[in-house]
């Protein structure tokens, strides 16, 4: 490991207990910064309500840390929107944001569009499929942004159990993202959960970053932020244990392909020879191929979008 990374681990890796809630709240009141929490959601009626309710109770009603909770629904066919709204979130449909640019499927697409419908100086992203959620996830990762003006982006780090086994989750991280980062961007080798969906950043940084529309958004954001603001502006906070719905192996394969593509573009700004991934499923006549397109689109930095510029002026 690089000496720079060892130093970073000692100075930019914290625990949620390092900043008690009263300290974080005092920093917010002192600096006057506002906080938006965004949950990208697709068919998460079973979990989104509990997450919103926990944030609202602990960090809006009990302690006035969070200024708005926004769920961006990316086309759910279940009751995700109704459940989220009943729990106290403002729900916005992905397709209603910036309608002149047709939306495409993907998590990064939703996160990018969320910048247009939130107002916080700090934007905190939280996945909507978490179980046994604690509001410490939010207070923990926004804490350094409120207390340290030199920090621009904070990732959550946590244990990710799989089928009851501690530390066995995050398979795409271990098989794809971590090797890529260690080999090509070794300054980022200290991130425990580089693909984790719980992180917070200053709006002033997010609006300058391109957003891969799909699963490559977290890796792309880390790499681009490193080049834009440097390693010391990035940090991570241990928030305990993350429990969520795990995807099957083929879904993970598609995720890995999108992440590899994101890395490839940042290495050479080139183009995939074949932006598709073929997988196999056993059918009535043996193994049958299924071919999926790999996300090949990225959204430009939000500061380049006219509607965003007009909103900022207004």
């Amino acid at each position: 490991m690089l000496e720079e990374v060892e130093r970073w681990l000692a100075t930019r890796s914290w625990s949620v207990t390092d900043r008690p809630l009263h300290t974080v709240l005092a920093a917010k009141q002192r600096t006057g910064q506002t906080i938006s929490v965004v949950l990208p959601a697709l068919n998460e009626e079973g979990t989104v309500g509990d997450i919103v309710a926990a944030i609202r109770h602990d960090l809006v009603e009990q302690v006035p840390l969070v200024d708005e909770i926004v769920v961006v629904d990316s086309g759910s066919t279940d009751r995700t929107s109704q459940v989220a709204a009943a729990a106290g979130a403002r729900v916005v449909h992905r397709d209603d944001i910036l309608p002149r640019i047709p939306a495409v499927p993907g998590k990064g697409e939703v996160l990018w569009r969320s910048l247009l419908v939130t107002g916080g100086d700090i934007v905190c992203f939280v996945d909507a499929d978490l179980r046994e959620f604690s509001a410490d996830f939010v207070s923990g990762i926004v804490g350094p942004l409120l207390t340290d003006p030199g920090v621009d982006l904070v990732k959550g780090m946590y244990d990710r159990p799989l089928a009851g086994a501690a530390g066995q989750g995050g398979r795409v991280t271990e098989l794809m993202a971590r090797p890529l980062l260690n080999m090509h961007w070794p300054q980022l080798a200290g991130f425990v959960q580089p693909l984790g969906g719980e992180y917070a950043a200053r709006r002033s940084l997010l609006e300058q970053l391109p957003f891969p529309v799909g699963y490559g958004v977290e890796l792309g954001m880390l790499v681009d932020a490193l080049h834009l603001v440097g390693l010391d502006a990035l940090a991570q906070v241990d928030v305990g244990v993350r429990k969520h719905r795990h995807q099957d192996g083929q879904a993970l394969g598609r995720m890995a392909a999108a992440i590899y593509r994101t890395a490839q573009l940042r290495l050479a700004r080139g183009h995939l020879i074949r932006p598709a991934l073929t997988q196999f499923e056993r059918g009535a006549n043996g193994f049958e191929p299924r071919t999926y397109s790999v996300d090949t689109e990225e959204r430009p930095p939000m500061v380049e979008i006219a509607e965003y510029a007009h909103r900022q002026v207004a």
Side-chain angles (χ1 to χ4, degrees):
M1 183 177 291
L2 298 176
E3 288 186 12
E4 180 183 6
V5 176
E6 292 182 350
R7 186 186 73 250
W8 179 85
L9 282 169
T11 60
R12 285 291 188 261
S13 293
W14 296 293
S15 166
V16 64
T17 59
D18 291 332
R19 291 175 179 80
L21 188 53
H22 66 84
T23 301
V24 175
L25 181 61
K28 172 185 167 66
Q29 294 170 338
R30 183 177 65 253
T31 62
Q33 297 177 89
T34 54
I35 298 172
S36 301
V37 176
V38 172
L39 284 76
L42 177 64
N43 295 328
E44 301 294 356
E45 68 175 358
T47 50
V48 68
D50 289 343
I51 298 171
V52 170
I55 298 171
R56 184 166 188 82
H57 178 268
D58 293 358
L59 302 180
V60 177
E61 297 168 352
Q62 296 291 106
V63 174
L65 182 67
V66 169
D67 296 279
E68 62 176 348
I69 307 169
V70 179
V71 170
V72 183
D73 190 332
S74 57
S76 297
T77 56
D78 65 3
R79 299 183 64 254
T80 290
S81 291
Q82 296 93 316
V83 170
R90 175 162 60 93
V91 179
V92 185
H93 195 284
R94 175 200 63 195
D95 296 348
D96 294 333
I97 307 171
L98 199 61
R100 73 171 176 86
I101 300 178
V104 298
K107 179 183 179 182
E109 177 83 353
V110 174
L111 300 185
W112 181 72
R113 288 175 187 264
S114 75
L115 296 181
L116 268 164
V117 294
T118 54
D121 302 306
I122 294 169
V123 182
C124 175
F125 298 118
V126 176
D127 281 350
D129 66 342
L130 303 188
R131 295 182 288 107
E132 300 178 30
F133 176 80
S134 168
D136 285 350
F137 272 59
V138 174
S139 59
I141 57 181
V142 303
L145 294 162
L146 291 168
T147 61
D148 190 334
V151 174
D152 288 326
L153 184 150
V154 181
K155 296 281 292 190
M157 58 176 167
Y158 26 66
D159 292 319
R160 297 182 66 182
L162 175 64
Q168 295 303 305
R171 290 162 288 173
V172 175
T173 292
E174 300 303 330
L175 296 175
M176 176 61 72
R178 200 177 308 285
L180 282 171
L181 292 176
N182 275 263
M183 289 187 289
H184 299 296
W185 296 281
Q187 287 177 294
L188 298 175
F191 277 95
V192 175
Q193 298 291 354
L195 301 184
E198 289 67 51
Y199 51 98
R202 300 190 192 281
R203 177 176 295 272
S204 56
L205 171 62
L206 292 172
E207 66 187 10
Q208 297 181 69
L209 299 177
F211 276 61
V213 298
Y215 285 121
V217 63
E218 273 86 22
L219 183 135
M221 190 177 295
L222 266 187
V223 171
D224 293 340
L226 173 67
H227 291 304
L228 192 62
V229 296
L231 181 60
D232 282 342
L234 313 180
Q236 60 185 351
V237 172
D238 186 348
V239 292
V241 179
R242 182 186 196 266
K243 296 181 179 180
H244 67 112
R245 182 187 66 253
H246 291 281
Q247 301 193 57
D248 62 36
Q250 293 207 332
L252 296 179
R254 297 191 290 275
M255 186 184 301
I259 290 165
Y260 178 77
R261 169 261 171 191
T262 300
Q264 183 199 43
L265 290 182
R266 277 150 182 79
L267 285 168
R269 292 295 168 183
H271 299 282
L272 289 173
I273 297 173
R274 180 176 178 268
L277 174 72
T278 298
Q279 297 176 316
F280 293 88
E281 298 178 7
R282 184 180 290 279
N285 299 313
F287 285 103
E288 301 173 355
R290 301 283 189 272
T291 299
Y292 302 88
S293 62
V294 174
D295 297 321
T296 58
E297 188 171 357
E298 294 195 4
R299 295 306 190 188
M302 190 56 80
V303 291
E304 298 178 9
I305 300 299
E307 288 89 339
Y308 187 78
H310 293 328
R311 193 201 73 155
Q312 295 291 83
V313 170

